Amino acid sequence: MVGLFSCVFVKATQRSRISNVHATEIKRGMGGLHGNKGALILRFNFDDTSICSVNCHLAAGQTQTMHRNNDVTAILESLAFPSYDTTTTCSNYFVGGGDGSMILDHEICILNGDLNYRIDTMSRDIVIKAIQSGNLAKLLERDQLLVSRRKNPTFGLKAFAELPIQFDPTYKYDIGSNTYDSSEKHRAPAWCDRILYRGPGKIKQLHYHRHELRASDHRPVSGDFRIRVKTILPDKREKVLEECQQRFQLVRSRLEKETKFVILPRFMRMLTRIRSRIQFLRDVLGLSAEEARGLIQTQPS
């Protein structure tokens, strides 16, 4: 990949808890032929929790929302990693019946990078005036990423969460200054640089900030997360599983007995009513038993 770099730092005291490390790349530039756009993907297990990190650079351009959305879909649906072999192993580490070959198979996913989403239907001057007046809510209403998540039911990032943005747009600056793009193109400011995450009940974002570094035409963003990981103890799990199965069988047997006691009296009452109707048709109307049964069977319930 061109212009993408991912680095994971691990405390020496925690290194032994990390296993099954794999990394790959997804090219999206020029129809998937070039690495100027795409994603770097890294996955690993921390104890018995699977974690996947996705560093993206999506299609540029004010009007390329659909192209960016297609990039997201292609990245999330790619068979990026080797799959795990056994059902038990997959259920230990992955969610949704996945085998670990796809990003969304992992219990925790963090997706970040220059996603290149812009602010729709506003001129550059109006955007800058809103930033200067602190009216970020007006701009966020037309942020292409938030709009896609809100209105597009098939959008890949709809399954992700993002902490509310409370900082100014991070793109595009004159390098070395606090001035938004003053070049001939006069690009409108936008929140191109984003961090999203996925893992219900397992990950919580604590902070979401931008940083005032002027070495680029972007301002970098950072996020702090609290992640809950699990450790599987095979012997104890087998014991608990056996106890659960025994309790399930007891409950199942009890319900079967209760169901018999409930259904049998109802059936007997229904049978008695049918017999009395047949007897009535025979005695009063003079029908044969066969004719009476046929008449009852053709009546609507």
Side-chain angles (χ1 to χ4, degrees):
M1 295 300 298
V2 179
L4 280 181
F5 177 73
S6 293
C7 194
V8 178
F9 298 92
V10 181
K11 290 182 178 180
T13 55
Q14 305 299 319
R15 177 63 186 87
S16 61
R17 302 173 67 180
I18 293 178
S19 61
N20 298 318
V21 179
H22 294 94
T24 189
E25 62 183 31
I26 305 294
K27 295 179 180 179
R28 290 298 300 162
M30 297 295 291
L33 298 176
H34 297 283
N36 60 316
K37 297 292 187 291
L40 292 179
I41 311 172
L42 171 70
R43 74 106 173 266
F44 58 90
N45 292 345
F46 193 96
D47 289 344
D48 293 312
T49 295
S50 58
I51 300 174
C52 186
S53 168
V54 187
N55 182 5
C56 295
H57 190 192
L58 305 183
Q62 178 72 33
T63 62
Q64 298 302 310
T65 303
M66 184 177 294
H67 194 168
R68 287 186 277 275
N69 291 355
N70 291 339
D71 284 348
V72 168
T73 299
I75 291 167
L76 294 180
E77 294 184 354
S78 64
L79 298 176
F81 300 112
S83 61
Y84 281 57
D85 297 331
T86 66
T87 302
T88 301
T89 302
C90 291
S91 63
N92 286 347
Y93 301 123
F94 306 116
V95 296
D99 59 5
S101 60
M102 301 176 70
I103 292 169
L104 296 184
D105 292 343
H106 299 80
E107 295 173 273
I108 295 171
C109 301
I110 299 176
L111 185 146
N112 64 273
D114 180 4
L115 306 190
N116 255 322
Y117 286 98
R118 310 301 172 91
I119 297 170
D120 267 337
T121 64
M122 280 190 184
S123 69
R124 178 180 184 276
D125 291 341
I126 292 176
V127 172
I128 290 179
K129 286 180 180 178
I131 295 170
Q132 292 172 343
S133 64
N135 191 3
L136 299 184
K138 176 181 178 181
L139 304 180
L140 289 167
E141 287 178 357
R142 302 188 183 185
D143 174 79
Q144 292 172 348
L145 174 55
L146 296 180
V147 171
S148 294
R149 291 184 60 210
R150 190 166 61 243
K151 295 185 176 182
N152 185 350
T154 63
F155 182 44
L157 294 181
K158 197 174 182 68
F160 285 72
E162 182 182 25
L163 212 62
I165 293 175
Q166 297 179 336
F167 48 80
D168 291 349
T170 58
Y171 175 87
K172 174 178 171 54
Y173 285 92
D174 293 339
I175 295 176
S177 77
N178 290 324
T179 303
Y180 284 110
D181 185 24
S182 62
S183 69
E184 293 179 358
K185 293 185 177 181
H186 276 75
R187 297 178 183 87
W191 287 281
C192 291
D193 309 283
R194 310 290 275 267
I195 303 174
L196 296 93
Y197 61 96
R198 181 178 184 269
K202 300 180 178 71
I203 180 171
K204 178 180 180 181
Q205 187 169 359
L206 306 178
H207 304 289
Y208 196 13
H209 299 299
R210 63 171 256 169
H211 302 275
E212 302 310 315
L213 302 178
R214 303 177 184 177
S216 167
D217 55 355
H218 292 254
R219 291 292 188 267
V221 298
S222 67
D224 300 331
F225 294 89
R226 178 178 289 124
I227 295 175
R228 185 175 69 180
V229 299
K230 71 180 187 297
T231 300
I232 296 175
L233 304 175
D235 293 340
K236 288 188 176 181
R237 185 179 64 172
E238 290 302 319
K239 182 178 179 181
V240 171
L241 179 60
E242 184 178 347
E243 291 174 354
C244 290
Q245 290 174 338
Q246 291 173 352
R247 292 170 61 185
F248 171 76
Q249 290 301 328
L250 291 174
V251 173
R252 180 178 179 179
S253 299
R254 177 173 58 80
L255 290 176
E256 287 177 349
K257 291 178 181 178
E258 292 176 354
T259 302
K260 288 179 182 178
F261 284 124
V262 171
I263 292 178
L264 186 58
R266 290 179 180 174
F267 175 75
M268 294 304 296
R269 287 196 297 269
M270 181 179 66
L271 186 61
T272 301
R273 285 196 297 270
I274 293 173
R275 285 174 175 170
S276 64
R277 290 177 183 177
I278 293 175
Q279 191 64 40
F280 173 82
L281 293 173
R282 292 179 63 187
D283 295 344
V284 177
L285 300 181
L287 300 179
S288 67
E290 184 175 341
E291 290 173 332
R293 291 193 196 95
L295 184 61
I296 290 175
Q297 289 174 356
T298 59
Q299 289 180 345
S301 57

